[in-house]
Each structure stands twice: as C-alpha cells, then as structure tokens.
Amino acid sequence: MKRILLLSMLLLLGACAYVDPSLTDQTEIITDAETRRSDLVVAVAPKAKSRKPLTALFYPFHIQQPTPDHKHLGRTFGQIFQNEWLRRRLFTTLEMDPQLTYYNKRRSLAEARRRGADLLILGFVPYFYAGSTLDDTAMTLQVNIYNVETGILLFSMAQSGRIEERIEEDWIYFRHRTRMSDSPFFRLVTDIAADMAVPVKSWLPDPDARPYSFAGNKGQIVTALTTPPNASQQDDAPGGSYSGTANGSGDSSTGMSDTPDNSGVQSQNGEDSAMERDLTQSGKDAPGVNLDIRFNLDKATIRPESYPLLDELARALKTPELKGKPIIVAGHTDSSASQRYNLTLSAKRADSVKKYLVMKHAIPPELIETVGYGESRPIADNDTEQGRMKNRRVEVRLAE
C-alpha cells in the first residue's frame, strides 16, 4: 500500500516537474519554485470608466531601501514592469525614460506635462531581498497613477511577492528538490505587473472591443446609436485577486503616500467585487457607429464629399431618440506615421467634426466630447490600401 501511495505521489509530482530517473540511486524530482503573492491592495481607484485612450509617462522605480545600486535596480524593475504593461496594451503610448530620476511628485508631474502625457506612473519599492538561487527572494511594489493635468491621484496599488527556497525532501524511493529561479526578480515584477494591470485595464477602453458597423444615412445612424452592441466577456484576473476601496474623488489623503513606509501590504478582503463591477460596467458597451469621413492628406480638414454624411449625422442627433444625448466623437487613423503623430492628428480630426456639427447644425457643444485614438484601434489590415481606408474613420458613440 505504501508503494502505491509513493508511486501515486511520484506521478503527481512528475506531472508538473522534471524527473531524473535512476536505477541505482534515488529518483530525483525537481520542481521550480513558485511565486507567492499577497492580494493586490487597491487603495485608490476611479469609479467611472475612462472613455478615452490615454498616454502615460512611467518613471523608473524609486528604491526606498538603502542600496548602492538603487538607480540600476530602479531602471531594471521599471523596464520589466513596462514591458508587461506594453504586452497588455493598456495605453496608446507608455513611455519610460531610463534617465529619469524621481525626486518628488511635483517635478515628475511637470516632466509629464512637458512630454504631453495624460498620466504619470510612479513606482516605489519599499522593500526587497535578493536571495538569488540560494535563498528566498521577496519584494513589495507600490504604483501610483496621476492625472497629469489636474495632479489628482487616480490609482494607488500595492502588492508583495516572494519566491521561497524549500529544503530537500527525502521519500526513500525518491527525493524532491525545489529549483530556484535564475531571475527571481523578473518573475516577481512580471507577476505583480500582471495583477496590477487588471484594475487599470478595466478602467480603460477595451482595445479588443468589437468594432462598430458603418452607416451612411440618418436611419442607419439612429439605429446604430439606439441598439446596444453585444456585451463582451470581462477579463479574468491572472494569478491572485485584488482588493481595496475605490475612492471616487481621487484624494491622495485617503490612499498611500508618495513615499510609503516599509510595512507589509495588508489585504482588505471583501471589497474588490464592488469596485471591479463599477470599473468594468460603467460606460461599457455603449452603442456606436463608424462613419467614413474623408480628410485632406495629413490634415484635419474635412473634404467636401463628406459633408452630406455629416449632415445625416446632425439630422440623426436631432431625432427624438437622440436629441439632447451626449456623444463621443473619436478620430482614427491608419499606421502610416508615428504613433504620437497619429494620436494628435486623430484628435484634431475629431475636433473638426465637432466644429462642423456645432457651427453648421447648432448642436450644443457641451453634448459633444472628442477624442483621438490614433492607430491604436484598427479594424482592418494596414498592409493594404483598402484596409487603411477603413481604419481612417470617425467613430460616434453615446457617452452614457
């Protein structure tokens, strides 16, 4: 019976590990050390979902624990974190300059404004311990996200992680050994970045949302703007869960400070579901429509052949079904130029559409919000002229 139990255990371990069988010595089973993470604490978060794609400036992590190579470590941790968020396509542009050094929030906000970013992301490392391949490796990360224009704290998140070394287990017939990671900090930072991406991605527009259909007259526009699209699946949180309180005002006094202490991260269980529901459902799946509005090359000037379609849009907005309802006008481009150039151009084109509706058709300007998506939301292949024409479009959707 003992042999059967041992064999079962051997098979179970062998299914998720490397097995080194031996006829003369004990069989050795080697498993990789797992990453253990605390619940993600979200102390501050916006309640309303952002309707705009945003750009962000990300500073290298500020290492608060005294260490001679703190700048190098801060750049390294920051690049690992940035790469994970780039992979998840959270922001239209996520810039990190490794030459930047954090001194205080005021100077960092000024730098972000100078670079034209919408958001400032500051990361802090209150505690870390490097055990390499011989001992435990542990760290705590805190990330604060600020609105650059107002300086308001939008997100404050913190999480701890650990990779533990375990003693070798001898089971007579075989022995079990835990293999430590060659890059423990890479694993920890990547896993924490993935967890922190969940609430932020829930707040931002979905980059994989189903594209709206095109319309060519008033009736089609009214139908599109009064028919909700199919609800999309919510993103599942990778790894651990997150918890915390959502502070709608973004008041930093209720969250964590810019220079948090070295205490461990405490989980606040039971409050995550309400916050996630607020972020993922607010403003989600709003009805919308695509319009084939043509502009002069590399300009925001509307071509005359597109005036009739804009007139149809204005007539649709004056129907009983849509009159008085706020809308978002979003500009899109193909990928022919740089991301930053396309983002600026698309925003100017959306502004041109708003100006046309206000000046010619007296649509109240307070009902129209504009945004530029640049090349970040393609609906066709940019490698063909036909695809690029589809991507150069104006999107109109309800703002509520």
Side-chain angles (χ1 to χ4, degrees), residues 38-42 158 241-244 264-271:
S38 68
D39 285 348
L40 174 61
V41 175
V42 183
S241 60
Y242 71 85
S243 60
V265 177
Q266 297 295 320
S267 172
Q268 302 172 17
N269 294 322
E271 299 176 358

Side-chain angles (χ1 to χ4, degrees), residues 19-327:
V19 179
D20 183 16
S22 175
L23 296 177
T24 57
D25 299 323
Q26 284 179 303
T27 296
E28 186 174 47
I29 298 176
I30 304 171
T31 57
D32 290 324
E34 63 178 320
T35 302
R36 298 179 178 273
R37 306 190 299 283
S38 68
D39 285 348
L40 174 61
V41 175
V42 183
V44 178
K47 284 189 174 181
K49 186 176 177 70
S50 172
R51 297 189 295 265
K52 294 184 178 181
L54 300 170
T55 61
L57 174 64
F58 184 26
Y59 265 63
F61 273 93
H62 178 59
I63 309 296
Q64 297 178 293
Q65 181 173 301
T67 180
D69 55 348
H70 61 95
K71 288 189 176 181
H72 171 72
L73 284 174
R75 289 193 295 266
T76 301
F77 293 161
Q79 287 170 344
I80 296 171
F81 198 101
Q82 181 205 23
N83 288 338
E84 180 62 21
W85 276 22
L86 284 174
R87 189 179 70 83
R88 294 173 179 274
R89 298 183 298 134
L90 298 182
F91 304 101
T92 304
T93 303
L94 177 58
E95 176 187 3
M96 193 194 79
D97 185 344
Q99 301 306 315
L100 291 174
T101 300
Y102 173 78
Y103 293 101
N104 55 54
K105 184 183 74 173
R106 181 183 57 79
R107 290 181 60 173
S108 301
L109 283 169
E111 179 65 22
R113 292 190 190 103
R114 188 185 70 81
R115 298 186 182 220
D118 299 309
L119 302 174
L120 169 67
I121 304 176
L122 298 178
F124 303 93
V125 183
Y127 167 79
F128 74 95
Y129 176 75
S132 187
T133 59
L134 302 176
D135 197 0
D136 296 359
T137 295
M139 70 187 318
T140 298
L141 298 184
Q142 178 181 329
V143 170
N144 292 341
I145 302 179
Y146 295 89
N147 181 308
V148 170
E149 182 179 0
T150 64
I152 289 176
L153 178 64
L154 298 175
F155 280 95
S156 186
M157 303 177 287
Q159 189 173 27
S160 294
R162 176 180 294 272
I163 297 179
E164 296 180 344
E165 192 274 336
R166 294 191 174 186
I167 63 173
E168 184 176 297
E169 299 173 293
D170 192 334
W171 296 89
I172 302 176
Y173 294 101
F174 65 91
R175 65 177 179 269
H176 174 234
R177 179 167 61 86
T178 300
R179 178 171 53 194
M180 301 300 290
S181 172
D182 291 334
S183 305
F185 280 131
F186 178 87
R187 284 184 55 189
L188 286 173
V189 175
T190 299
D191 289 347
I192 292 175
D195 285 349
M196 289 186 175
V198 175
V200 178
K201 190 170 185 178
S202 298
W203 173 62
L204 294 168
D206 183 3
D208 299 314
R210 181 177 300 179
Y212 297 121
S213 60
F214 280 84
N217 57 55
K218 181 188 78 172
Q220 293 174 348
I221 295 173
V222 171
T223 299
L225 291 178
T226 55
T227 305
N230 294 330
S232 59
Q233 295 287 336
Q234 292 187 8
D235 293 315
D236 294 326
S241 60
Y242 71 85
S243 60
T245 57
N247 182 344
S249 66
D251 186 354
S252 61
S253 64
T254 62
M256 300 179 182
S257 65
D258 289 339
T259 54
D261 60 27
N262 293 343
S263 59
V265 177
Q266 297 295 320
S267 172
Q268 302 172 17
N269 294 322
E271 299 176 358
D272 56 318
S273 59
M275 185 184 67
E276 186 172 18
R277 183 168 59 251
D278 284 343
L279 289 174
T280 55
Q281 292 185 1
S282 175
K284 190 171 184 179
D285 298 320
V289 64
N290 282 321
L291 302 177
D292 186 16
I293 306 298
R294 303 297 178 87
F295 298 86
N296 289 344
L297 182 64
D298 290 336
K299 295 183 181 299
T301 306
I302 303 171
R303 291 165 60 173
E305 60 263 35
S306 292
Y307 293 165
L309 183 53
L310 288 176
D311 296 337
E312 291 290 298
L313 171 62
R315 284 192 282 270
L317 295 177
K318 293 180 179 181
T319 60
E321 298 93 332
L322 298 174
K323 187 175 182 179
K325 291 189 175 181
I327 63 170

Side-chain angles (χ1 to χ4, degrees), residues 314 317-318 322-329 353-370:
L317 295 177
K318 293 180 179 181
L322 298 174
K323 187 175 182 179
K325 291 189 175 181
I327 63 170
I328 298 173
V329 176
V353 171
K354 175 179 179 176
K355 183 178 179 180
Y356 184 93
L357 295 173
V358 171
M359 299 296 291
K360 184 173 181 181
H361 293 280
I363 303 296
E366 65 271 13
L367 294 179
I368 305 175
E369 182 180 357
T370 61

Side-chain angles (χ1 to χ4, degrees), residues 379-391:
I379 60 174
D381 191 350
N382 274 308
D383 291 334
T384 66
E385 179 55 33
Q386 185 179 11
R388 289 191 292 271
M389 287 181 63
K390 288 185 177 181
N391 290 332

